[in-house]
Amino acid sequence: MKKKLVSCLISFTLLSSLSTPLLAKAQENTEDLKGSLVIAGGGIGTSNHEIYEKFLSLAGGKEKAKVGIIPAASTTLQSSKKFKEDLVKYGANSDSIKILPVSNHDFSDTQKDESTWKNQVNDKKLSRTIKGLTAVWFVGGDQTKIVDSLRQNNGSDSEALKAIWDIYRKGAVIGGTSAGAAIMSDVMITGGDSLGALKDSLENKENKHVSKNQRSQKEYEPLSIQKGLGFFQHGIIDQHMDERARLGRLAVAAYTSGRDKEKNFAYGVDEDTAMVVNNKDQKIEVVGRSGVAVLDMSKAELVSKQKARSGLENIKVSYLSPGDKIDYHLKSFEFPKERVETKGFEYYSFNALPATGVFTPYGRLKAYLSYSLVDNESMKSAKSYVYDSKGLGYEIAFQKDNDTNGYWRYTDGQKDDYSIVNVKMDITPKTFKFQPDRKTSLTYKKPTFSSSESPAYDSIKGNLLIAGGALGSSNSSVYNKFINLAGGKQAKIGIVPAASTKFDSSNQFKSDLIKYGVKAENIEILPISNHDFKGTSENESTWKTNMNSDKLAQKVKGLTGIWFVGGDQTLITGSLRNENGSDSKVLQAIWHTYKNGAVLGGTSAGAAIMSNTMLAGGDSYGALSYGFTNTYDDMNQQEGGPAYLEKGLGFFQYGLVDQHFDNKARLGRLIATAYEKGNKNQLSYGIDEDTAMVVNNKEKQIEVVGRGGITLVDLAKVQANDKFPSDYKNILISCITPGDKVNLTTKEIVINPAKTSTRKNEYYSEKVGPNTGLFSPHGVLRKFLAYDLVDNAQSKEIKSYAFNQNKGFELTFRKSAESNGYWAYTDGQKDDYSIVKVALDIKPIDVDIR
């Protein structure tokens, strides 16, 4: 049974408390604490060794750790047992790990009645057991159940809670995930989302108790808080920050609590990430795979804007990444030496669109602020929005300030990793009105590009591994798949560096292959390029003539695998095609090896070249609004604007391929291109980052491998308005994940048998509002469709919007007769969804924001 997104529905009258503390400060003296905290934001993967090893290290090491797991938050013992299994996997002694009898309710997966455990929290035997521990862990679920299980009816601490405090003071580590993180601060957030927190706390209206049934009928949930356990006394903690877009609710909670705003930060911990608190040094370290949002509310002001509606201004937002540290006493940050400042050295220069929904590139907060603002010299400010279906909501304005800065480095191979400090955030009430666009002022241009067909695919014995970009060195499933298809550890692999401007990515891929067992002498970076590389003494632009080198062509014919690195896909085609557009001798040799059994692989730009029609530029909003262009403007064209097409290398002959699909939200540009230039009897494929589409030409089948998913676009039943561009009905969207397969000719989708169908067995039943931007939960397309539509009994359709100024698009995702969802846990207790045949309608709209 999946863990429900539990919400405590106890609400407070917050408006009258905007300048006074809601909760009294915990009475515990925390000045002499020797212990530490591991506060995880939820969704910890079993493979996240950084968090597990840090927890065990603080618990005294694998040999000496004695861990008590408190299951109270959950409705089953499953998560507690799984956490114990994971600790044992990481080297802890199974006999030294105990699931403690702490609960105020029965568990659904046992024969016993654990509700009787509530009476044992003052038992001396339990207290003695706890006092012998070096660590305590709180699993996720409902945070109020933890507090109720450990506090007595009069609000005083039970003997068990006193014992936890005792070992914490003496040096034990206290950890928890999700609900187990929420209880760590004294002000404990128990429910609400960003829109609900803003509307019910900043609007002058009577606040009423919200029952569970009433919540399911509303599009948003008001903020609710209670008194937590207070192990962390230096600010409010929130969790699931990135996935559930809780920055707005954290800001409201921090402001309305009225507690030490000048003294303390407020912290939002991402999933699969932990903030590790060292009380002795008064520092926090970020550990895991994502980040920790940090809010400075010391200068925040409540400002009346619209009638009885108010906003918040002068909030400072920072976002820290793994390896960063926070001095919570001095309210300062420390960054690893290898991080490079972006201020004055911004890498990007493009006009970023406002963050408006699932068509927005970099749809999650940290990524959006990194690429669209902090590391972008063209941008001084950026905006996002949040509103209900009636159009009542807020504008969120982010602005560079004098002390704004970014810090960048590569991580896990060549993934961008950013830290951000001191972005100014203002939240202003607005009213939104969307109406059908009857007479567009936008100039939509159809593509003039045409591409001839590539050779027949029936004779191809080789395979393809097409990766969506940002491939992690730790992504063993993708690397091992490529190596196995190339013939195993005896494989002979050539790396084509042409897409990049440096050799870093080629050298990194070579070292990764060696790490996974390929002999160094069997790997060669091929001299294929039409431009010079930075950081070398040689002028690699002279390599352009190599495309017709008989010697190089002969070498290519002896390879069992060829890999194209990322960068600019037009540089690859320009390095392998002659001036007249014909195939060079080296490209002919690549085709020869491919037809005879070699595997061809590539990431990012190296994926874009795989299809016959190559998507080389543009974003979703630009492609739908303006259509296509014949000019290419490097970075600007890659990051936005109308779509730009060129002839690809045509190795994949079953449809169009696009990449960076989740992070750059390219569904709109793939739909526009597939409609104008694709074969409507074929699927089109959008590949997420750190994920690969493995093409088996013999079986006529693809398989998903890696950490993300592949979006399938089916236009076989599409209806379009020929008199009005980008007005579509009945586009079918599917999203598949690792283990799922697709037949390339029949389009049949075969779901991983470990997953269970959600149809007529939906886990959720809640009314949801439109997906609007950075304050909307589930900002990535697959998660939005999974949680809000296919696994939600109350949803028949859901909406998202993409707009800029007064023009945009309404996206309506509908359950069709063929729609289904499939769910399983993966990598510990992370929800993993596949989605089949959701219908999508796109309608041009006029937008009025006041």
Side-chain angles (χ1 to χ4, degrees):
M1 176 61 71
K2 286 173 283 185
K3 183 169 62 180
K4 187 179 273 290
L5 304 178
V6 178
S7 302
C8 176
L9 298 166
I10 301 169
S11 57
F12 293 80
T13 305
L14 296 177
L15 183 66
S16 61
S17 309
L18 288 176
S19 59
T20 58
L22 281 171
L23 300 172
K25 184 175 180 178
Q27 298 302 309
E28 305 293 344
N29 180 6
T30 60
E31 293 179 1
D32 58 348
L33 287 173
K34 297 178 181 178
S36 303
L37 300 171
V38 176
I39 305 173
I44 301 177
T46 299
S47 62
N48 194 330
H49 63 89
E50 293 94 346
I51 291 178
Y52 283 98
E53 289 176 356
K54 176 66 78 170
F55 180 70
L56 286 172
S57 173
L58 293 171
K62 299 173 184 178
E63 307 270 329
K64 298 180 180 179
K66 295 180 180 179
V67 183
I69 301 171
I70 294 181
S74 184
T75 57
T76 70
L77 285 179
Q78 181 181 1
S79 54
S80 299
K81 292 176 180 177
K82 186 68 175 68
F83 187 72
K84 179 175 179 176
E85 289 175 11
D86 289 342
L87 291 178
V88 173
K89 173 186 171 184
Y90 281 97
N93 187 334
S94 179
D95 294 335
S96 299
I97 306 169
K98 302 180 185 297
I99 297 175
L100 301 176
V102 177
S103 176
N104 66 351
H105 60 280
D106 189 24
F107 292 99
S108 62
D109 58 347
T110 68
Q111 297 297 317
K112 296 180 181 179
D113 180 6
E114 289 84 6
S115 64
T116 60
W117 286 359
K118 172 69 175 174
N119 301 322
Q120 297 183 38
V121 290
N122 289 310
D123 184 80
K124 291 182 179 179
K125 182 180 178 182
L126 177 59
S127 295
R128 285 195 299 271
T129 298
I130 292 172
K131 288 181 179 180
L133 300 173
T134 61
V136 173
W137 184 267
F138 295 88
V139 301
D142 182 345
Q143 46 266 49
T144 63
K145 292 178 179 178
I146 300 175
V147 174
D148 187 58
S149 298
L150 285 170
R151 283 220 173 95
Q152 302 186 85
N153 293 335
N154 63 2
S156 61
D157 292 355
S158 66
E159 294 300 316
L161 182 53
K162 290 176 182 176
I164 295 171
W165 268 103
D166 182 61
I167 63 171
Y168 178 39
R169 281 201 180 88
K170 292 177 180 177
V173 58
I174 310 297
T177 183
S178 188
I183 54 99
M184 293 289 181
S185 52
D186 194 46
V187 176
M188 179 177 74
I189 301 175
T190 58
D193 53 37
S194 288
L195 180 59
L198 290 166
K199 287 179 69 66
D200 277 49
S201 302
L202 302 183
E203 294 182 13
N204 187 13
K205 62 180 182 179
E206 183 183 359
N207 191 35
K208 299 178 180 179
H209 178 80
V210 182
S211 70
K212 185 174 182 179
N213 183 59
Q214 287 173 316
R215 165 64 187 105
S216 70
Q217 301 303 316
K218 296 186 73 173
E219 297 174 0
Y220 51 87
E221 182 184 356
L223 172 69
S224 55
I225 62 174
Q226 288 187 6
K227 183 177 172 62
L229 298 185
F231 298 121
F232 180 71
Q233 282 287 307
H234 307 283
I236 299 175
I237 302 290
D238 207 348
Q239 15 77 48
H240 296 283
M241 178 57 53
D242 56 345
E243 178 59 46
R244 301 184 196 173
R246 286 174 166 171
L247 190 74
R249 92 166 187 179
L250 179 60
V252 173
Y255 188 87
T256 56
S257 70
R259 180 177 176 273
D260 296 337
K261 290 195 295 286
E262 292 75 21
K263 180 180 177 183
N264 294 323
F265 286 144
Y267 304 85
V269 190
D270 288 350
E271 294 185 354
D272 218 7
T273 308
M275 51 183 275
V276 179
V277 182
N278 184 318
N279 286 299
K280 183 179 179 181
D281 294 341
Q282 297 186 324
K283 288 185 180 179
I284 297 166
E285 181 182 4
V286 182
V287 175
R289 290 180 174 151
S290 189
V292 174
V294 183
L295 291 183
D296 184 348
M297 306 294 294
S298 59
K299 297 180 180 179
E301 299 175 322
L302 184 74
V303 181
S304 296
K305 294 289 185 181
Q306 282 189 356
K307 298 180 181 179
R309 304 176 70 203
S310 299
L312 284 173
E313 294 185 349
N314 295 322
I315 301 166
K316 284 293 182 75
V317 179
S318 300
Y319 226 115
L320 284 294
S321 294
D324 299 342
K325 293 184 178 180
I326 306 162
D327 187 316
Y328 57 75
H329 177 66
L330 297 176
K331 295 180 72 175
S332 62
F333 306 115
E334 300 174 16
F335 303 100
K337 292 180 180 179
E338 60 268 27
R339 288 199 184 276
V340 178
E341 289 189 41
T342 63
K343 192 171 185 176
F345 304 95
E346 291 85 357
Y347 182 77
Y348 295 95
S349 181
F350 66 94
N351 293 319
L353 294 174
T356 56
V358 295
F359 270 17
T360 301
Y362 317 114
R364 287 187 172 178
L365 182 69
K366 186 171 75 164
Y368 183 74
L369 293 182
S370 299
Y371 296 103
S372 297
L373 181 63
V374 175
D375 200 18
N376 189 339
E377 67 177 358
S378 296
M379 300 292 288
K380 303 301 180 186
S381 63
K383 293 179 180 179
S384 185
Y385 305 94
V386 62
Y387 43 83
D388 61 19
S389 59
K390 296 180 180 178
L392 293 174
Y394 297 84
E395 175 186 89
I396 302 99
F398 300 98
Q399 185 174 323
K400 287 178 180 174
D401 221 334
N402 292 333
D403 55 351
T404 302
N405 207 342
Y407 299 85
W408 169 90
R409 68 174 175 183
Y410 277 136
T411 184
D412 189 17
Q414 286 199 304
K415 295 182 178 179
D416 286 328
D417 182 35
Y418 282 97
S419 302
I420 300 160
V421 295
N422 297 322
V423 171
K424 183 175 178 286
M425 179 174 74
D426 297 332
I427 303 172
T428 306
K430 296 284 185 180
T431 301
F432 301 80
K433 189 175 182 180
F434 304 111
Q435 292 183 320
D437 187 352
R438 304 298 183 188
K439 187 176 181 181
T440 184
S441 60
L442 302 177
T443 304
Y444 182 94
K445 294 182 179 179
K446 286 185 170 290
T448 58
F449 164 83
S450 62
S451 178
S452 58
E453 292 299 317
S454 293
Y457 50 74
D458 287 336
S459 59
I460 297 175
K461 297 178 182 177
N463 301 297
L464 299 172
L465 189 146
I466 309 174
L471 180 62
S473 296
S474 64
N475 195 331
S476 58
S477 58
V478 172
Y479 279 96
N480 287 330
K481 191 72 172 182
F482 180 73
I483 292 167
N484 289 338
L485 290 172
K489 295 181 180 179
Q490 302 301 317
K492 296 181 179 180
I493 297 171
I495 300 171
V496 177
S500 186
T501 57
K502 299 185 293 184
F503 279 112
D504 290 3
S505 51
S506 298
N507 290 328
Q508 178 68 54
F509 189 72
K510 180 176 180 178
S511 67
D512 288 342
L513 290 176
I514 294 169
K515 180 180 105 174
Y516 284 102
V518 180
K519 294 180 180 179
E521 60 268 27
N522 287 354
I523 308 167
E524 183 175 350
I525 298 174
L526 302 174
I528 298 173
S529 175
N530 65 354
H531 60 280
D532 191 24
F533 285 84
K534 298 175 182 176
T536 69
S537 56
E538 185 176 356
N539 181 5
E540 289 82 8
S541 64
T542 61
W543 287 1
K544 185 168 183 178
T545 58
N546 289 348
M547 72 170 73
N548 286 304
S549 163
D550 291 322
K551 183 178 179 181
L552 182 57
Q554 196 62 35
K555 179 179 289 186
V556 166
K557 288 180 180 180
L559 299 174
T560 61
I562 298 171
W563 184 264
F564 298 86
V565 302
D568 183 339
Q569 46 265 51
T570 65
L571 297 177
I572 300 176
T573 55
S575 300
L576 286 171
R577 280 218 173 90
N578 295 310
E579 297 271 337
N580 63 2
S582 63
D583 292 356
S584 67
K585 290 182 179 180
V586 170
L587 182 53
Q588 290 173 25
I590 293 172
W591 267 103
H592 174 85
T593 59
Y594 177 41
K595 287 180 179 179
N596 284 279
V599 59
L600 306 185
T603 184
S604 185
I609 54 101
M610 292 291 180
S611 49
N612 201 43
T613 296
M614 180 176 77
L615 287 86
D619 67 354
S620 288
Y621 181 82
L624 291 171
S625 299
Y626 307 109
F628 298 80
T629 179
N630 293 324
T631 59
Y632 182 65
D633 186 17
D634 193 30
M635 183 190 297
N636 278 330
Q637 198 64 33
Q638 289 188 36
E639 297 297 332
Y644 174 72
L645 307 177
E646 280 194 8
K647 181 175 172 60
L649 299 185
F651 302 126
F652 179 68
Q653 302 190 341
Y654 299 90
L656 298 170
V657 170
D658 208 348
Q659 19 76 45
H660 293 284
F661 210 70
D662 52 352
N663 204 33
K664 298 195 178 184
R666 286 174 164 169
L667 178 63
R669 88 166 188 180
L670 183 58
I671 288 170
T673 305
Y675 181 78
E676 298 287 359
K677 301 303 299 181
N679 180 342
K680 294 181 178 58
N681 293 317
Q682 294 179 327
L683 297 174
S684 295
Y685 304 83
I687 308 170
D688 289 350
E689 295 186 350
D690 216 8
T691 308
M693 181 171 88
V694 179
V695 181
N696 185 319
N697 284 301
K698 182 179 179 181
E699 302 289 336
K700 305 290 190 296
Q701 179 178 268
I702 68 160
E703 178 184 4
V704 188
V705 176
R707 292 178 175 148
I710 296 175
T711 300
L712 311 174
V713 175
D714 188 346
L715 298 183
K717 298 179 180 178
V718 71
Q719 300 171 25
N721 183 348
D722 292 334
K723 296 180 180 179
F724 210 101
S726 302
D727 188 348
Y728 299 112
K729 291 183 179 179
N730 293 327
I731 301 166
L732 291 181
I733 304 294
S734 301
C735 301
I736 56 176
T737 58
D740 298 339
K741 299 177 180 180
V742 180
N743 185 294
L744 290 164
T745 52
T746 67
K747 301 193 291 189
E748 179 188 4
I749 300 170
V750 180
I751 300 297
N752 184 338
K755 294 179 181 175
T756 58
S757 170
T758 63
R759 189 166 188 173
K760 297 184 179 178
N761 190 35
E762 292 86 356
Y763 189 73
Y764 303 102
S765 183
E766 296 180 351
K767 189 175 182 181
V768 295
N771 187 282
T772 55
L774 303 179
F775 277 16
S776 290
H778 317 306
V780 174
L781 176 70
R782 176 164 52 92
K783 299 292 185 72
F784 173 55
L785 296 181
Y787 290 107
D788 286 358
L789 184 63
V790 299
D791 204 14
N792 188 344
Q794 200 171 144
S795 286
K796 304 303 180 190
E797 65 177 37
I798 52 177
K799 294 183 184 295
S800 180
Y801 293 88
F803 57 89
N804 184 27
Q805 297 179 341
N806 64 341
K807 293 290 182 181
F809 301 92
E810 178 184 74
L811 317 176
T812 303
F813 297 92
R814 298 180 282 107
K815 286 178 179 173
S816 70
E818 302 171 286
S819 295
N820 205 345
Y822 298 87
W823 169 89
Y825 275 138
T826 183
D827 189 15
Q829 287 194 304
K830 294 182 178 180
D831 288 326
D832 180 33
Y833 283 98
S834 299
I835 296 146
V836 174
K837 295 184 178 179
V838 165
L840 167 62
D841 301 335
I842 301 176
K843 182 172 289 294
I845 54 171
D846 287 320
V847 183
D848 183 19
I849 304 175
R850 297 184 182 183

